[in-house]
Amino acid sequence: MISKKILRNDERATLVLRTLYRKHGYLPFKMNKFEEYDFYLENRDFLPGDKIVSFYDTNGKLMALRPDVTLSVIKQCDDVDGVKHRVYYDEFIYRTGRHSKRFKEMKQTGIECIGDLDLYDISEVLILAADSLAELSEDYVVSISHLGILDSLLGEVCKDEDMRRKALTYIKAKNTHDLEGLCRKHSVPEEKINKITKLVSLYGEIGSVMETLEEICTSDESRDGLKEIKTIYKIIASTEHKNRFVVDFSIVNDMDYYNNILFQGFLKGVSDSVMVGGQYDNLLEKMGRKSRGVGFAIFLNMLESLNYNSAPKGSLDYLILYDDEEDIIEVAAKSRQLIRAGYSVSVQKAIPRKLRYDNIIDMRREAN
């Protein structure tokens, strides 16, 4: 058995989550580190960063280091009636960071469900998202939004695409003051301003905000979205994650590619979301596909600050000291005994600077 103490947080998470996804029928998915550059160029607007690491192959073809996993999964999944492709992955991606313009190598794990999907599949992915966070920490939250509802209300207040773009910027920042100002500048009726600002300000466990959502969702399109949330909530309410899901309509992504359910995952002790996910039916449609898609990714590099073990980072269980005169057979036997018992051991002739250890066994003759 591998001791959790010697695993980094991302390594531990990978092992635990791989087991979780396999139990739910998700199969491992492997891909190349690079694809033809044109493949990503065609869907560049879907990618979070605006730059792609590219290079020329030996045959002169322009290639790109993989900036995204979802696109690669879509490329290899066929449209088959009644079939759902369920895969999980553990891969590195190469792109600019969320808060930096510098290229980074980032490790992700996650799942993708593509095919003939329905609300069962959406709910299953949401529950698996909560399961994943629960494996990483006891204190977790999944925030969800519904782009169908938001899109319906934006359609009621926005006069043109420029206004819509500005409104989305304010919504992402939960800036209701400037959102109200924008609406009044374009002579939007107060009733509609109140509805959209109330939606943007809404935050709380799904069950506790349902009454307010009923008041906000009056159009046919928004009522359809509300019906989806109600169905999903009935399924979530039957699990141990019932009180871990909150509604937050400031979660927004490009509506040309994403639709309906969007969500983010948060862990106590980590300042930013460690998980992003949602439906991307619109992306598949743009690619000429009839399948629907939903999935999520966990940013494993963000787990470094989580404290899984009480021992200091990098500490060893035992330090064994010996000298040239000591019987190295006895030293080897003692070291092997401890290692077989599951402990980490360093054998040294002197104590290295900055080495952390819990116990010391001094087998030097002078000590004895």
Side-chain angles (χ1 to χ4, degrees), residues 288-314:
R289 305 286 296 276
K290 64 179 182 179
S291 289
R292 302 176 66 194
V294 62
F296 62 78
I298 298 173
F299 305 103
L300 295 174
N301 55 301
M302 296 191 67
L303 304 182
E304 294 174 1
S305 57
L306 290 179
N307 181 25
Y308 286 128
N309 306 298
S310 57
K313 184 178 179 182

Side-chain angles (χ1 to χ4, degrees), residues 140-152:
Y140 61 94
V141 170
V142 183
S143 298
I144 73 169
S145 174
H146 195 289
L147 290 185
I149 294 175
L150 182 59
D151 189 41
S152 175

Side-chain angles (χ1 to χ4, degrees), residues 55-214:
F55 62 95
Y56 283 99
D57 202 353
T58 53
N59 61 4
K61 188 178 289 292
L62 187 60
M63 307 295 287
L65 281 176
R66 182 180 59 242
D68 181 79
V69 174
T70 302
L71 289 170
S72 297
V73 176
I74 291 173
K75 187 178 180 182
Q76 298 189 41
C77 292
D78 298 327
D79 296 332
V80 182
D81 290 342
V83 173
K84 306 164 186 180
H85 301 281
R86 290 188 172 99
V87 301
Y88 73 87
Y89 60 86
D90 170 24
E91 298 286 347
F92 284 100
I93 60 171
Y94 306 87
R95 66 185 186 213
T96 53
R98 287 192 282 178
H99 306 296
S100 168
K101 291 298 182 183
R102 298 183 62 185
F103 282 114
K104 296 180 67 177
E105 179 186 66
M106 294 177 279
K107 195 173 186 183
Q108 286 186 352
T109 190
I111 64 173
E112 304 291 350
C113 186
I114 300 172
D116 193 355
L117 310 188
D118 54 30
L119 278 181
Y120 168 80
D121 303 293
I122 310 301
S123 303
E124 180 189 59
V125 168
L126 280 167
I127 292 169
L128 263 176
D131 284 339
S132 301
L133 295 174
E135 291 285 0
L136 304 176
S137 172
E138 294 179 354
D139 203 336
Y140 61 94
V141 170
V142 183
S143 298
I144 73 169
S145 174
H146 195 289
L147 290 185
I149 294 175
L150 182 59
D151 189 41
S152 175
L153 267 67
L154 284 172
E156 293 181 24
V157 301
C158 293
K159 307 295 185 182
D160 52 44
E161 189 58 36
D162 182 60
M163 181 183 176
R164 179 189 176 89
R165 213 167 22 246
K166 290 178 181 176
L168 283 171
T169 301
Y170 298 143
I171 289 169
K172 286 181 182 180
K174 276 190 174 293
N175 185 350
T176 55
H177 178 269
D178 286 343
L179 181 61
E180 286 179 17
L182 178 68
C183 291
R184 291 197 174 95
K185 179 182 176 181
H186 288 80
S187 303
V188 176
E190 286 297 319
E191 179 188 351
K192 292 182 178 181
I193 296 176
N194 290 336
K195 280 174 60 176
I196 195 162
T197 54
K198 185 181 288 188
L199 184 75
V200 174
S201 303
L202 196 64
Y203 185 88
E205 293 176 12
I206 300 179
S208 67
V209 302
M210 201 65 75
E211 187 176 337
T212 305
L213 275 176
E214 287 275 8

Side-chain angles (χ1 to χ4, degrees), residues 31-36 40 55 57 63-66 94:
M31 61 201 84
N32 293 325
K33 286 193 185 307
F34 44 85
E35 299 259 13
E36 292 185 16
Y40 292 118
F55 62 95
D57 202 353
M63 307 295 287
L65 281 176
R66 182 180 59 242
Y94 306 87

Side-chain angles (χ1 to χ4, degrees), residues 225-236:
L226 178 59
K227 184 179 178 181
E228 286 191 356
I229 289 181
K230 284 181 176 180
T231 303
I232 290 170
Y233 178 61
K234 285 180 181 177
I235 299 173
I236 290 173

